Amino acid sequence: MMIVSELPIIEEQMRTRILRAPKTRQAHIELLSQIEAMNSVELGGIAASSKLPTQISVVAWNLERCLFPEQSAAHLAPFVPDLVLLSEMDCGMARTAQRHTTAEMAKEMGMAYAYGVEFFEMGLGGETELPYCEDIENARGWHGNAILSRAPMTRVAMLRLDSHGHWFVTGPNVDPNQPRVGGRMALLAVIETDAGPICAVSTHLESNADDKHRMAQFEHLLDAIDDFAPDLPVVIGGDLNTGNHMPPDFAWQREGLFDLARSQGYSWDVNPEGYTTRPSLLTPHPTRKMKLDWFALRGMRGEGGRIIPSVTQESDVLSDHDAIWCRVHPYASKGAQS
């Protein structure tokens, strides 16, 4: 993995290779390994503080492409977040006016950012997104996850949760309107606080799969955290897609990843009650009510968990996911200064 100040674009020769490649698992694995930006993390923005406080305000939000970066940043301002864990953030996509939505939110909020690519989007998006495309091509085609922080990130890593091409390989459940290279992933960052260093994780698990698939992804993530930041307090936040492909009625309670995390010392207690999805400008499933978004904490006490509706005072809907917020208090880690 490389750390870069700007993710490199995919050149025309590679774009042609991707489009002509057989839609097989092995072809996808090979392509993924050869695309530089898919194996890099972009760091940017400016941190406002040298350390985070001992009481850390944290938001996790799936921003559904992030059509409105400035409004989204303003929407979070009353919560004065020290950490923002984001998923579904576009960069160079026609549907979001070719904007680097993470960089623009970070600028608005006075925060540093880390951004990693989940998917290289080969098309313009789903049917509900096409009306927002003023251009006929994507400038970059990136779609991914991000971490925003008020303090510098001293170490970062990207973990790919799968490489077999869930959205690339030809199959009965693949959306032909959203051809993609890539797969679900997580960003991990070590950040200094007044109580010592912590590990912040932004992740997004697979929607087009069952609970066993997601539990395997989450187990892979927990193992990676142990390797990346052993003994540090951890806050994981993101869209875990709990309940997808679980009848009846998206039964998130039966997901195995909850007990898996508890067995490794993580707590889910800070999460608020209630669904976290809503109708939006883009969602193709406006009537679905699902609980998808979560915090998992290790070595931290959490309080005040609540849902932040993704609707502005002017009644503009910013995403098909509501944000979740909490305040965490990390216990002193082994890396703390005495």
Side-chain angles (χ1 to χ4, degrees), residues 26 58 67 103 105 137 171 190 237 289-290 319 331:
Q26 187 57 41
V58 187
L67 279 172
M105 278 194 69
E137 292 184 348
V190 172
K289 293 183 178 181
M290 304 180 71
S319 173
Y331 305 127

Side-chain angles (χ1 to χ4, degrees), residues 65-121:
R65 307 357 182 182
C66 195
L67 279 172
F68 310 107
E70 294 90 353
Q71 285 178 277
S72 299
H75 196 59
L76 296 182
F79 297 88
V80 195
D82 302 296
L83 284 173
V84 184
L85 309 174
L86 297 170
S87 50
E88 292 201 16
M89 300 296 287
D90 276 0
C91 177
M93 290 289 300
R95 64 196 177 197
T96 43
Q98 312 290 9
R99 304 171 76 179
H100 192 332
T101 59
T102 296
E104 295 191 22
M105 278 194 69
K107 182 178 180 181
E108 290 289 322
M109 300 179 75
M111 304 178 84
Y113 73 83
Y115 178 74
V117 177
E118 187 174 67
F119 294 110
F120 167 56
E121 303 271 358

Side-chain angles (χ1 to χ4, degrees), residues 91-332:
C91 177
M93 290 289 300
R95 64 196 177 197
T96 43
Q98 312 290 9
R99 304 171 76 179
H100 192 332
T101 59
T102 296
E104 295 191 22
M105 278 194 69
K107 182 178 180 181
E108 290 289 322
M109 300 179 75
M111 304 178 84
Y113 73 83
Y115 178 74
V117 177
E118 187 174 67
F119 294 110
F120 167 56
E121 303 271 358
M122 295 185 285
L124 297 179
E127 291 184 5
T128 61
E129 297 164 347
L130 296 180
Y132 294 88
C133 298
E134 295 185 4
D135 299 333
I136 61 172
E137 292 184 348
N138 300 318
R140 292 182 178 269
W142 305 138
H143 183 64
N145 298 344
I147 297 174
L148 275 55
S149 173
R150 291 205 182 278
M153 290 168 251
T154 59
R155 286 194 298 125
V156 295
M158 178 174 62
L159 174 71
R160 293 222 163 266
L161 300 175
D162 59 59
S163 61
H164 56 267
H166 216 75
W167 294 78
F168 180 83
V169 177
T170 302
N173 294 322
V174 175
D175 184 349
N177 295 317
Q178 298 190 68
R180 304 166 172 176
V181 174
R184 305 302 182 180
M185 46 80 79
L187 284 177
L188 299 79
V190 172
I191 305 165
E192 290 291 336
T193 80
D194 288 334
I198 65 166
C199 178
V201 181
S202 174
T203 194
H204 190 193
L205 303 189
E206 184 55 60
S207 59
N208 192 19
D210 61 15
D211 60 315
K212 292 180 181 179
H213 186 95
R214 284 186 290 274
M215 187 167 72
Q217 289 184 322
F218 208 66
E219 184 173 28
H220 186 32
L221 174 59
L222 297 184
D223 290 345
I225 292 170
D226 285 343
D227 290 338
F228 177 74
D231 303 318
L232 291 190
V234 180
V235 52
I236 303 171
D239 174 6
L240 304 189
N241 269 306
T242 43
N244 266 296
H245 295 268
M246 294 186 68
D249 300 325
F250 311 109
W252 59 266
Q253 298 90 339
R254 295 193 288 108
E255 292 271 356
L257 59 83
F258 294 114
D259 284 340
L260 170 69
R262 289 188 188 99
S263 72
Q264 298 191 32
Y266 287 83
S267 169
W268 302 93
D269 293 346
V270 77
N271 288 285
E273 298 287 338
Y275 297 113
T276 60
T277 59
R278 69 169 51 249
S280 73
L281 296 176
L282 298 181
T283 180
H285 307 292
T287 61
R288 284 187 183 177
K289 293 183 178 181
M290 304 180 71
K291 189 172 182 64
L292 303 178
D293 306 276
W294 299 89
F295 291 117
L297 307 179
R298 185 187 76 184
M300 296 190 178
R301 177 170 58 88
E303 63 182 27
R306 62 174 289 185
I307 293 173
I308 305 173
S310 295
V311 182
T312 68
Q313 291 183 346
E314 295 75 28
S315 299
D316 295 322
V317 181
L318 302 174
S319 173
D320 63 341
H321 288 243
D322 289 336
I324 55 175
W325 173 87
C326 70
R327 196 176 301 279
V328 299
H329 309 251
Y331 305 127

